[in-house]
Amino acid sequence: MQKISLAIHGGAGTILKELMTPELEQEYTRALNESLQAGYVILKKGGSAVDAVQAAVMSMEDNLLFNAGRGSVFTNKGSHEMDAAVMDGYNLSAGAVAGVKNIRNPVELATAIMQHSNHVFLCGTGANEFALNQKIKMEPDEYFFSQFRYDQWKAMRDGDSYALDHSNAKVEALMKDKKFGTVGAVACDKNGHIAAATSTGGMTNKKYGRIGDSPVIGAGNYANNKTCAISCTGHGEPFIKAVAAYDVSCMMEYKKLSLYDAMYEVVNKKLVAIEGEGGMIGVDAAGNIAMLFNTVGMYRAARNSHGLEVVKIYGD
Ligand code: ASP
């Protein structure tokens, strides 16, 4: 019988137990669980992998804890510009957005592009215009404000100038906060179709309309029934250069590697070689799941119809 599976991540980075309070750990665990159940219930009812990854990602986009949707980080101009992508491994259809503002659920917009346009990738004001036409839910700027992210941005912004003044204490404080909070989901449904979705606010203090790997098909997000569905998190630039998600697919297709082995090659060898800090989650059409990272931790969770159910934060 076809195994149904779902895996999610809420970002990778320097997530150390000693920097976490028990309350915060509980909050993250609850949020990961909520997202996992939001997606899994769809698969269990016989729904599609695309619907499941969208629901799982939307749940995290609505949660301030994660750097996506509502909890998106601040750009250097003090605004929020979000990126997201979705891909259906059944027919390779895909949708993506970059640099969108005031969209409550960027993954919903990416899915609308995939399902209701002749395009794959929209950016900025054009994407926002399409969102209006599609009646995608918008929110005012205040919705995306959180004191925590604001302080994080201020530390980063001030940190830059302090770093020039060679203030080690400030630099250290910055390093401690070096984590990525992008969210993503991969799923395999009862028909053996797989899908991936990823959503992010990008990197704190980002400049110049910077776009990361998350909305770039093949870099931070990819799905193909023949191989795998992958969602990445980490320092976007190296992930783009490595074409990370597609490379996993290629190694499965051409070298016949298993999902785990192909992901291991990319995460622990190829990305490490170019200082590509981060991780990824993956699923194949048999419903196998893998969750790998080269950072200290990664918020992650997985569930399948063969009894697997895990929620994890730190290294194994
Ligand atoms: N990969 C994202 C980016 O570079 C950041 C993250 O994963 O948190 O935009």
Side-chain angles (χ1 to χ4, degrees):
M1 205 180 139
Q2 174 67 44
K3 201 196 288 181
I4 60 170
S5 309
L6 177 76
I8 60 163
H9 71 75
T14 316
I15 309 165
L16 290 165
K17 205 169 170 65
E18 51 269 34
L19 296 177
M20 185 80 87
T21 62
E23 294 76 33
L24 196 57
E25 189 177 301
Q26 233 178 33
E27 272 186 60
Y28 272 110
T29 305
R30 192 178 321 122
L32 289 168
N33 243 317
E34 268 170 27
S35 160
L36 191 68
Q37 303 321 333
Y40 196 78
V41 81
I42 291 176
L43 294 175
K44 212 171 160 196
K45 281 191 197 147
S48 73
V50 168
D51 287 348
V53 293
Q54 189 189 348
V57 167
M58 280 174 71
S59 162
M60 288 185 281
E61 284 178 335
D62 289 344
N63 194 317
L64 270 178
L65 285 178
F66 303 104
N67 170 22
R70 186 170 192 193
S72 289
V73 296
F74 286 83
T75 67
N76 79 318
K77 295 215 164 75
S79 61
H80 305 277
E81 291 176 10
M82 301 168 284
D83 305 336
V86 64
M87 188 159 184
D88 184 348
Y90 170 61
N91 54 12
L92 303 184
S93 60
V97 286
V100 291
K101 291 183 178 168
N102 301 100
I103 303 293
R104 184 184 172 109
N105 295 108
V107 75
E108 193 184 17
L109 179 54
T111 308
I113 293 167
M114 175 171 87
Q115 292 172 341
H116 307 299
S117 84
N118 297 322
H119 307 296
V120 169
F121 204 169
L122 301 183
C123 78
T125 48
N128 273 77
E129 208 175 295
F130 180 77
L132 271 177
N133 285 338
Q134 293 291 314
K135 303 202 170 19
I136 299 286
K137 224 184 270 165
M138 307 275 200
E139 296 291 351
D141 289 347
E142 307 81 76
Y143 173 81
F144 300 90
F145 182 89
S146 64
Q147 197 60 47
F148 161 70
R149 296 282 179 214
Y150 185 72
D151 293 345
Q152 195 180 37
W153 170 56
K154 259 181 49 192
M156 192 65 102
R157 198 185 50 176
D158 300 344
D160 255 339
S161 50
Y162 282 119
L164 285 177
D165 289 337
H166 306 291
S167 162
N168 289 337
K170 281 279 176 187
V171 174
E172 251 177 55
L174 281 180
M175 293 308 287
K176 263 194 191 159
D177 200 44
K178 205 169 163 209
K179 65 176 161 55
F180 310 102
T182 292
V183 307
V186 293
C188 176
D189 65 28
K190 69 164 202 253
N191 297 314
H193 298 323
I194 59 178
T198 307
S199 180
T200 187
M203 291 181 75
T204 305
N205 213 27
K206 65 183 180 182
K207 295 182 190 170
Y208 314 122
R210 180 262 186 195
I211 297 168
D213 61 312
S214 311
V216 180
I217 300 300
N221 197 79
Y222 187 73
N224 184 342
N225 272 8
K226 277 207 290 196
T227 53
C228 58
I230 300 285
S231 170
C232 303
T233 175
H235 188 179
E237 281 70 8
F239 277 71
I240 294 175
K241 292 187 233 172
V243 202
Y246 185 59
D247 200 21
V248 174
S249 172
C250 287
M251 278 194 289
M252 291 177 71
E253 186 172 0
Y254 307 142
K255 280 182 99 179
K256 304 292 170 214
L257 294 191
S258 68
L259 174 72
Y260 181 90
D261 289 348
M263 283 172 65
Y264 188 90
E265 196 71 29
V266 174
V267 173
N268 292 314
K269 295 186 186 167
K270 293 184 171 200
L271 280 167
V272 168
I274 55 169
E275 294 178 5
E277 261 187 294
M280 57 174 71
I281 53 172
V283 69
D284 64 20
N288 297 308
I289 288 171
M291 303 190 278
L292 272 74
F293 47 97
N294 59 34
T295 47
V296 183
M298 179 166 84
Y299 298 107
R300 61 202 187 279
R303 185 169 173 191
N304 72 18
S305 51
H306 287 202
L308 170 80
E309 190 159 357
V310 288
V311 178
K312 289 184 174 183
I313 296 178
Y314 314 105
D316 285 318

